[in-house]
């Protein structure tokens, strides 16, 4: 018979690669920006492994696959390898993933444990037990087949001979080739026999084979005369035998005696150039197949997210009942759904997690989504439902319109939770859950701020005390102590020397005058602006005397406690865009002035590094979920009067990357649009560089009636009858406030959608009137919302309006240039946003303008601290007052956070408890451990 036809793996693999290349092109055309991803994990530095990996990387590049080679040192432990595998398993950009074997490590590593750790849906080598099990069961369409057997089958198909009904013999039973080859032939309907080194009648069995696959690992073990005439012979062996005619002294042969076998076979694979090239080609094919499966299951840029279906009840139960009746998704599932990797998530139990800033670095090239800010009209003391609307809107966009959407909200203070306000997780069927976790300790960020803030306070008074009681030399000896006869400046002390203009690094080289400058901050106690803080409402700490103990040697002064969320450190946390930026801001915080009138900073106190350490975990955003299963970042909670009242820049930035270009991030600005929104634009957006697409302005019939002249609305007191009955005239008059807040938003060049938060006492005519007047005032759209009672379903119309508005032109602009004089910036806000005719600076404010300008802080943005209950400084003036003079009684500086805050009227930074605080209703079930009564 004629010699066998050669099955060239080089030719067939080239055809496969060309086909795959075209498939990848088609994927990219259909899904712009998408590329199949292959990860190759190597442990150690074996030469043969490096050679094989380079072949795979080259093939991937040729086809258009994005290949990533991860190389661990040979000192890597099993834990190191498993951690790396977990990260790659969770990476949505990796569709195929192989561990290069053997593992070249000095440490003991269980190879089977490693291969089984690879996610089966990414195991393109087909080596995991799950894929092997599926193959053995015949689930060929739902598993990955090891690349060598898969390549062998492709070569067999090239012959055109039907496998079904043929007798096949596989020589070798390895997990990588022999065993899966048996399964593959069996499920292609061949009658299969597996032989191995212990088979007694090997020649006889081989002689029966119509199809022979040899993978024994022994040079030329199968003799040509054993082979059945006309058989297909697939030789998987690669062996080296001595050959003096070769320069290397050896040559490569297979497991089959090729020269004699080709005379009997009809088809045969050469060695080299047969099965070898097919193995790499099949790896590429499996990677492309995995990417195709991914695309069938997930749309690129679209999350595969499980939403919770609400079971609505009438009447609506209490917030805590609704929260505790919901079955939450494990928070690691939420993280996976939104595209976070396992090593980017730090779990705090089952319901909350911190997200590492490495996620932002990984996603830096991802386009941002649409940026939505929720604000409101000037509210009643009861609030008008901004948080509820924020949650309702994201539930509607996510669970009902199937958009990628994130809510970014502030963390509430425990003070109001136990005081008069109660919880702040939204309400009704629009909540961040579990609400008891949200409203209480969460992950300890506020406690970290309390510790950091009070460390600064202790450092201030301690430094004054030591400077009053020690000589320059004694201070110097303690600040720069001799350790084993050597004195050395710390890094923070070098910075202080440089600030003083002393360019010396040798502690022994300072003159007496330089030592005095270095050791003495000379803090003027009368200028201290830094207070101690506590996250509890306690009116009796508003004014205290410290230093009463005899050990303080008569040094006492009047001080106060503020609530923690008013600390500048909270504002720093909210405005930082990374660890380095946070550390710099913490170091820039000005706590007092020296007796020479120079600013004294936390860096001067030497406390910057310690503050950064205390805040290193707090800077990571907290991940939670809504009732309907949409993701939420809860991060930072600065006051909305003496600070800017917005959640963190970092949470917004990470969320905008995660949702992708077509997704939405909805964040909330504290108080009314004249306060929280104005600061969101002029402070937060200025520092973050982010540009908003839509303003959602929340309005209620109740608040608008109040602005029209209705009776006072008081927390804890039943609403007067004017709010329970239809009164279109009163309502229309009150819409002056709505009109002004719409104008305020449009002043920044951003489209406005008005969300009319409907209460059960509102009539259809009243709601329709608000919608009509909002549109006439220039709103892009106005929509009635019933999300409190219906969840996301009740905000679908709002979500659709926001979608449309996000496509409209947004010509965002700041209200003022920070280079303007301080007084001019204040006047612009007062006149343009509040409606004042002018401002009046009282003597203390005039002094501060001069001081801060002299100290170099005059070009900071302005953060107005005024009442939220009126557009003016007078909480009794409702509607949209004009022509008033805005009094500025004082100005203070949050230099680290990056703004000056003028004080308008009087206000407290330490709330008190009411006669009947919320804690009367809060209790713990000792059996179940559930929190009761929180609202």
């Amino acid at each position: 018979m004629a010699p066998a036809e050669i099955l060239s793996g080089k030719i067939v693999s080239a055809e496969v690669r060309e086909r795959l290349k075209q498939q990848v092109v088609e994927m990219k055309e259909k899904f712009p920006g998408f590329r199949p991803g292959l990860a190759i994990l190597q442990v150690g530095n074996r030469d043969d492994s490096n050679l094989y990996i380079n072949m795979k990387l080259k093939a991937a590049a040729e086809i258009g696959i994005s290949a990533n080679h991860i190389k661990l040192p040979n000192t890597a432990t099993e834990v190191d390898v498993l951690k790396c595998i977990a990260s790659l398993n969770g990476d949505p950009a990796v569709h195929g993933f192989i561990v290069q074997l053997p593992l070249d490590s000095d440490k003991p590593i269980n190879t089977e444990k490693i291969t089984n750790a690879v996610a089966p849906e990414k195991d393109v080598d087909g080596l995991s037990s799950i894929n092997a099990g599926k193959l053995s069961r015949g689930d060929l369409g739902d598993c990955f087949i090891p690349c060598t057997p898969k390549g062998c089958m492709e070569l067999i198909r090239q012959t055109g001979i039907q496998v079904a009904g043929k007798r096949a013999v596989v020589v070798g039973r390895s997990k990588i080739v022999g065993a899966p080859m048996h399964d593959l032939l069996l499920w292609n309907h061949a009658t299969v026999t597996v032989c191995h080194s212990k088979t007694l009648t090997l020649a006889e069995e081989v002689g029966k084979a119509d199809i022979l696959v040899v993978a024994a690992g022994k040079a030329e073990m199968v003799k040509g005369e054993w082979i059945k005439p006309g058989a297909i012979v697939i030789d998987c062996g690669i062996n080296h035998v001595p050959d003096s005619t070769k320069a290397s002294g050896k040559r490569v042969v297979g497991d089959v005696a090729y020269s004699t076998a080709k005379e009997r076979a009809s088809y045969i694979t050469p060695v080299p150039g047969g099965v070898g090239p097919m193995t790499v080609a099949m790896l590429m094919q499996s990677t492309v197949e995995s990417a195709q499966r991914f695309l069938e299951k997930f749309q690129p840029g679209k999350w595969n997210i499980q939403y919770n279906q609400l079971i609505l009840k009438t009447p609506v139960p209490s917030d805590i009942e609704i929260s505790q009746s919901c079955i939450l998704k494990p928070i690691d599932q939420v993280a996976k759904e939104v595209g976070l990797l396992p090593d980017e998530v730090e779990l705090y139990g089952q319901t909350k997690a911190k997200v590492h800033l490495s996620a932002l670095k990984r996603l830096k090239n991802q386009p941002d989504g649409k940026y939505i800010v929720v604000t409101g009209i000037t509210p009643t003391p009861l609030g008008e439902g901004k948080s509820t609307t924020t949650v309702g809107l994201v539930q509607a966009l996510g669970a009902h319109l199937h958009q990628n959407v994130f809510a970014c909200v502030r963390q509430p203070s425990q003070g109001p939770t136990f005081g008069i306000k109660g919880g702040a997780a939204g309400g009704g069927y629009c909540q961040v859950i579990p609400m008891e976790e949200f409203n209480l300790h969460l992950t300890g960020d506020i406690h970290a701020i309390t510790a950091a803030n009070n460390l600064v306070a202790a450092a201030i008074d301690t430094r004054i005390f030591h400077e009053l009681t020690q000589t320059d030399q004694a201070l110097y000896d303690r600040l720069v102590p001799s350790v084993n006869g050597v004195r050395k400046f710390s890094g923070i002390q070098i910075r202080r020397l440089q600030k003083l203009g002393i360019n010396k690094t040798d502690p022994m080289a300072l003159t007496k005058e330089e030592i005095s400058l270095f050791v003495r901050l000379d803090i003027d106690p009368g200028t201290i602006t830094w207070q101690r803080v506590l996250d509890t409402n306690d009116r009796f700490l508003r004014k205290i005397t410290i230093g009463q103990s005899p050990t303080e040697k008569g040094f006492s002064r009047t001080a106060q406690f503020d609530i923690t969320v008013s600390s500048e450190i909270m504002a720093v946390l909210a405005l930082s865009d990374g660890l380095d930026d946070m550390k710099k801001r913490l170091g820039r915080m000005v706590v007092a002035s020296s007796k020479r009138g120079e600013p004294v900073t936390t860096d001067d106190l030497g406390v910057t590094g310690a503050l950064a350490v205390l805040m290193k975990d707090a800077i990571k955003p907290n991940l939670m979920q809504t009732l309907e299963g949409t993701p939420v970042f809860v991060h930072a909670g600065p006051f909305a009067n003496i600070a800017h009242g917005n959640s963190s820049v970092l949470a917004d930035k990470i969320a905008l990357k995660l949702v992708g270009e077509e997704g939405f991030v909805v964040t909330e600005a504290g108080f009314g649009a004249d306060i929280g929104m104005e600061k969101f634009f002029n402070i937060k957006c200025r520092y973050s560089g982010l540009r908003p697409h839509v303003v959602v302005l929340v309005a209620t019939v109740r608040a608008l009636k109040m602005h029209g002249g209705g009776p006072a609305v008081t927390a804890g007191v039943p609403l007067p009858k004017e709010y329970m009955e239809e009164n279109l005239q009163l309502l229309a008059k009150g819409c002056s406030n709505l009109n002004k807040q719409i104008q305020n938003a449009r002043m920044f060049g951003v489209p406005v959608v008005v969300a009319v938060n409907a209460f059960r006492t509102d009539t259809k005519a009243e709601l329709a009137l608000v919608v009509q007047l909002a549109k006439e005032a220039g709103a892009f759209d106005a929509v009635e919302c019933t999300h409190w009672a219906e969840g996301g379903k009740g905000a679908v119309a709002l979500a659709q309006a926001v979608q449309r508005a996000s496509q409209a032109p947004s010509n965002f602009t700041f209200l003022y240039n920070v280079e303007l004089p301080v007084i001019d910036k204040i006047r612009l806000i007062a006149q343009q946003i509040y409606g004042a005719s002018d401002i009046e600076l009282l003597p203390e404010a005039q002094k501060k303008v001069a001081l801060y300008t002299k100290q170099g802080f005059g070009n900071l943005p302005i953060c107005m601290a005024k009442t939220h209950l009126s557009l003016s400084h007078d909480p009794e003036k409702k509607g949209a007052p004009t022509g008033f003079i805005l009094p500025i009684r004082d100005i203070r500086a949050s230099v680290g956070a990056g703004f000056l805050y003028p004080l308008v009227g009087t206000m407290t930074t330490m709330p008190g408890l009411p006669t009947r605080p919320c804690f009367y209703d809060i209790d713990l079930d000792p059996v179940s451990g559930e929190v009761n009564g929180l609202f």
Side-chain angles (χ1 to χ4, degrees):
M1 61 180 294
E5 191 172 327
I6 306 302
L7 289 172
S8 172
K10 290 183 179 178
I11 294 173
V12 178
S13 65
E15 293 170 355
V16 171
R17 289 199 300 271
E18 195 58 38
R19 184 176 72 244
L20 295 175
K21 189 175 180 180
Q22 184 57 39
Q23 289 175 3
V24 171
V25 169
E26 291 170 3
M27 282 185 199
K28 291 178 181 177
E29 288 174 352
K30 190 173 180 181
F31 302 101
F34 179 82
R35 288 181 73 188
L38 172 66
I40 303 171
L41 176 59
Q42 178 185 11
V43 179
N45 194 37
R46 282 175 60 121
D47 291 338
D48 54 350
S49 291
N50 292 333
L51 178 63
Y52 297 143
I53 289 169
N54 286 334
M55 289 167 58
K56 293 165 186 174
L57 294 174
K58 184 179 177 182
E62 177 191 337
I63 292 166
I65 293 171
S66 175
N68 182 21
H69 178 199
I70 302 98
K71 200 168 188 177
L72 299 180
N74 59 8
T75 55
T77 64
E78 188 172 272
V79 171
D80 296 331
V81 180
L82 290 171
K83 184 178 178 182
C84 188
I85 289 172
S87 177
L88 292 166
N89 283 342
D91 189 342
V94 173
H95 309 108
F97 169 24
I98 69 167
V99 178
Q100 184 67 42
L101 300 177
L103 300 168
D104 178 26
S105 176
D106 297 341
K107 305 292 190 294
I109 297 180
N110 184 325
T111 300
E112 187 166 355
K113 185 176 181 180
I114 295 301
T115 54
N116 279 324
V118 177
E121 67 273 16
K122 297 187 179 187
D123 173 31
V124 287
D125 250 350
L127 298 182
S128 69
S129 297
I130 289 176
N131 277 317
K134 287 183 176 181
L135 176 58
S136 70
R137 284 193 331 190
D139 297 335
L140 304 189
D142 188 35
C143 71
F144 284 110
I145 299 161
C147 298
T148 299
K150 189 172 183 176
C152 292
M153 278 304 297
E154 184 62 32
L155 289 169
I156 293 169
R157 289 191 191 98
Q158 292 292 316
T159 67
I161 296 173
Q162 289 289 327
V163 174
K166 298 293 188 294
R167 182 179 290 275
V169 173
V170 178
V171 181
R173 55 183 172 179
S174 72
K175 293 179 181 179
I176 295 176
V177 183
M181 194 71 234
H182 163 272
D183 296 336
L184 199 52
L185 286 163
L186 180 67
W187 292 110
N188 277 274
H189 312 298
T191 300
V192 189
T193 300
V194 176
C195 299
H196 43 79
S197 59
K198 299 291 190 279
T199 301
L200 297 177
T201 56
L202 182 59
E204 182 182 334
E205 295 298 333
V206 167
K208 298 174 185 176
D210 300 314
I211 300 169
L212 176 65
V213 181
V214 186
K218 187 173 180 182
E220 300 182 326
M221 182 181 79
V222 175
K223 310 305 178 186
E225 57 268 23
W226 296 359
I227 293 169
K228 179 179 179 180
I232 300 170
V233 178
I234 308 295
D235 188 352
C236 302
I238 298 178
N239 310 283
H240 293 90
V241 296
D243 189 338
S244 58
T245 65
K246 301 290 183 182
S248 63
K250 57 186 178 180
R251 60 187 170 90
V252 176
V253 298
D255 291 351
V256 177
Y258 180 78
S259 59
T260 53
K262 71 178 181 179
E263 300 301 326
R264 294 177 65 87
S266 59
Y267 295 90
I268 191 167
T269 57
V271 178
V275 174
M278 292 301 297
T279 301
V280 175
M282 292 301 102
L283 174 64
M284 299 301 120
Q285 182 169 306
S286 291
T287 302
V288 171
E289 287 171 359
S290 182
Q292 288 169 332
R293 292 177 191 176
F294 175 84
L295 291 174
E296 288 170 8
K297 192 174 180 181
F298 308 101
Q299 291 182 46
K302 282 286 185 185
W303 296 338
N304 183 32
I305 188 166
Q306 173 191 323
Y307 296 110
N308 298 331
Q309 188 168 357
L310 297 177
I311 300 173
L312 304 176
K313 293 183 180 180
T314 305
V316 176
S318 70
D319 290 351
I320 190 73
E321 286 179 77
I322 294 171
S323 174
Q324 292 180 344
S325 68
C326 178
I327 299 175
L328 290 89
K329 296 182 290 186
I331 201 65
D332 57 342
Q333 178 184 331
V334 177
K336 184 178 181 180
E337 287 174 342
V338 302
L340 288 164
L341 307 185
D343 60 359
E344 293 169 346
V345 180
E346 190 175 328
L347 300 179
Y348 280 62
Q350 293 293 308
T351 61
K352 54 193 176 180
K354 279 197 165 291
V355 174
H356 290 247
L357 305 190
S358 58
L360 186 58
K361 184 178 180 181
R362 174 176 64 87
L363 297 165
K364 64 182 178 181
N365 295 322
Q366 171 88 347
D368 288 346
K370 303 291 193 302
Y371 197 27
I372 316 300
V373 60
V374 176
T375 185
I377 61 170
T378 305
T380 67
L382 305 179
E384 308 318 307
K386 290 194 311 298
S387 297
T388 305
T389 302
T390 298
V391 176
L393 175 56
V394 297
Q395 290 183 166
L397 282 166
H400 298 268
L401 298 181
H402 306 292
Q403 301 295 307
N404 293 358
V405 62
F406 238 108
C408 292
V409 299
R410 289 184 293 169
Q411 179 183 352
S413 165
Q414 280 182 187
T417 297
F418 290 113
I420 195 169
K421 186 174 181 289
Y429 287 104
C430 297
Q431 295 185 48
V432 179
I433 53 172
M435 69 169 295
E436 57 269 42
E437 299 284 349
F438 178 88
N439 283 296
L440 299 177
H441 306 283
L442 197 57
T443 57
D445 294 351
I446 291 180
H447 299 316
I449 291 166
T450 303
N453 184 98
N454 292 343
L455 179 62
V456 176
I460 294 167
D461 290 308
T462 302
R463 187 58 176 263
I464 294 172
F465 172 78
H466 287 309
E467 287 187 23
L468 285 172
T469 57
Q470 296 182 53
T471 64
D472 291 353
Q473 191 59 49
L475 282 167
Y476 193 61
D477 290 342
R478 287 174 172 84
L479 286 170
V480 193
S482 175
V483 180
N484 297 323
V486 178
R487 283 190 173 191
K488 185 179 179 182
F489 291 123
S490 66
I492 203 165
Q493 290 176 327
I494 293 288
R495 288 204 299 274
R496 171 149 175 80
L497 289 167
Q498 290 170 345
K499 180 179 176 180
L500 294 169
I502 302 171
N503 297 312
K504 296 178 181 178
T505 56
D506 180 2
M508 304 305 293
L510 267 64
T511 65
K512 285 186 177 181
E513 292 77 13
E514 289 170 340
I515 286 174
S516 183
L517 271 175
F518 173 73
V519 300
R520 295 203 175 272
L521 299 180
D522 277 331
I523 294 171
D524 180 351
T527 67
I528 295 172
T529 55
W530 196 269
Q531 309 298 343
R532 289 163 173 82
V533 298
L534 189 68
D535 194 32
T536 301
N537 288 8
D538 190 345
R539 65 190 313 123
F540 290 94
L541 294 177
R542 290 172 180 170
K543 189 173 183 179
I544 60 171
T545 302
I546 60 172
Q548 291 291 308
S549 170
T551 55
E552 273 51 75
K553 301 180 181 180
F555 171 64
S556 65
R557 68 179 181 90
T558 301
Q560 69 186 58
F561 268 83
D562 294 337
I563 198 160
T564 297
V565 291
S566 71
S567 169
E568 184 177 351
I569 295 176
M570 176 64 89
V572 165
L573 174 67
L575 289 169
S576 297
D577 69 1
L579 272 170
D580 184 57
D581 182 46
M582 181 180 73
K583 186 177 176 183
K584 288 175 181 174
R585 288 174 180 271
L586 290 171
R588 289 199 301 263
M589 295 187 301
V590 174
V591 300
S593 292
S594 71
K595 291 170 183 175
R596 299 183 297 277
E598 296 166 348
V600 177
T601 67
T602 42
D603 216 46
D604 293 327
L605 287 166
V607 75
T608 305
L611 298 180
V613 168
L614 286 170
M615 294 294 293
K616 69 180 178 64
D617 291 319
I619 197 171
K620 305 167 192 169
N622 304 296
L623 179 65
M624 296 187 76
Q625 61 190 293
T626 68
L627 283 168
E628 295 193 51
T630 58
V632 182
F633 274 141
V634 183
H635 198 215
F639 253 27
N641 47 25
I642 68 165
H644 62 293
N646 287 270
S647 59
S648 79
V649 165
L650 277 169
D652 290 359
K653 285 190 170 184
I654 295 172
L656 284 163
K657 296 297 182 187
L658 287 169
V659 300
E661 194 168 12
E662 300 303 317
F664 295 83
V665 170
V666 182
T667 190
E668 178 191 342
F671 294 152
D674 55 309
I675 300 180
M677 183 198 71
E678 181 271 317
K679 295 173 182 180
F680 171 81
F681 289 145
N682 282 322
I683 298 175
K684 184 175 181 180
C685 290
R686 195 184 298 270
Y687 282 121
S688 71
L690 300 173
R691 297 295 177 261
H693 292 80
V694 183
V695 170
V696 173
L697 185 68
V698 179
T700 63
V701 168
R702 176 182 68 194
L704 293 172
K705 284 182 176 178
M706 179 193 71
H707 286 297
V713 175
T714 306
V717 177
L719 285 172
K721 64 180 179 62
E722 287 84 351
Y723 297 99
M724 313 299 285
E725 301 170 353
E726 184 175 287
N727 190 328
L728 299 179
Q729 186 177 358
L730 190 68
L731 179 61
K733 185 179 177 185
C735 281
S736 61
N737 186 272
L738 173 63
N739 294 353
K740 175 57 179 164
Q741 299 289 31
I742 291 172
Q743 290 171 24
N744 284 343
R746 293 187 68 200
M747 201 177 297
F748 292 90
V750 184
V752 183
V753 174
V754 173
V756 186
N757 189 15
F759 293 179
R760 59 183 179 82
T761 53
D762 302 338
T763 67
K764 289 185 178 180
E766 287 175 329
L767 294 168
L769 180 61
V770 178
V771 168
Q772 174 195 331
L773 294 177
K775 291 179 180 178
E776 290 175 2
F780 178 90
D781 203 350
V783 181
E784 176 189 339
C785 305
T786 54
H787 45 275
W788 180 80
E790 297 183 302
K793 176 185 172 185
V796 167
L798 173 63
Q800 291 168 333
V802 167
Q803 282 182 298
R804 293 192 300 272
S806 71
Q807 303 300 324
S810 177
N811 303 307
F812 177 69
T813 184
F814 298 118
L815 181 66
Y816 55 81
N817 186 325
V818 289
E819 301 300 326
L820 288 173
V822 173
I823 294 175
D824 290 353
K825 288 181 284 193
I826 297 172
R827 182 176 288 112
L828 271 170
I829 296 170
Q831 292 177 335
Q832 298 294 315
I833 302 296
Y834 306 155
S837 59
D838 205 350
I839 60 172
E840 178 189 8
L841 265 68
L842 301 183
E844 187 61 31
Q846 292 176 23
K847 285 183 194 175
K848 293 293 179 62
V849 169
L851 174 66
Y852 294 143
T853 302
K854 176 187 174 185
Q855 291 180 338
F857 308 139
N859 61 349
L860 292 175
I862 299 299
C863 182
M864 299 291 282
K866 79 167 187 72
T867 178
H868 63 292
L869 298 175
S870 171
L871 281 162
S872 74
H873 57 286
D874 182 353
E876 301 304 317
K877 288 185 176 180
K878 304 301 181 182
T882 58
F884 57 90
I885 303 294
L886 190 76
I888 310 298
R889 67 177 178 87
D890 196 0
I891 301 175
R892 294 178 187 166
S894 287
V895 177
F899 52 75
L900 301 178
Y901 59 99
L903 302 180
V904 182
T906 59
M907 64 187 62
T908 179
T909 48
M910 172 53 84
L913 292 171
T915 304
R916 191 184 193 283
C918 292
F919 61 64
Y920 273 74
D921 301 302
I922 298 172
D923 200 2
L924 183 74
D925 186 317
V927 177
S928 68
E930 285 190 345
V931 175
N932 299 319
L934 191 67
F935 64 91

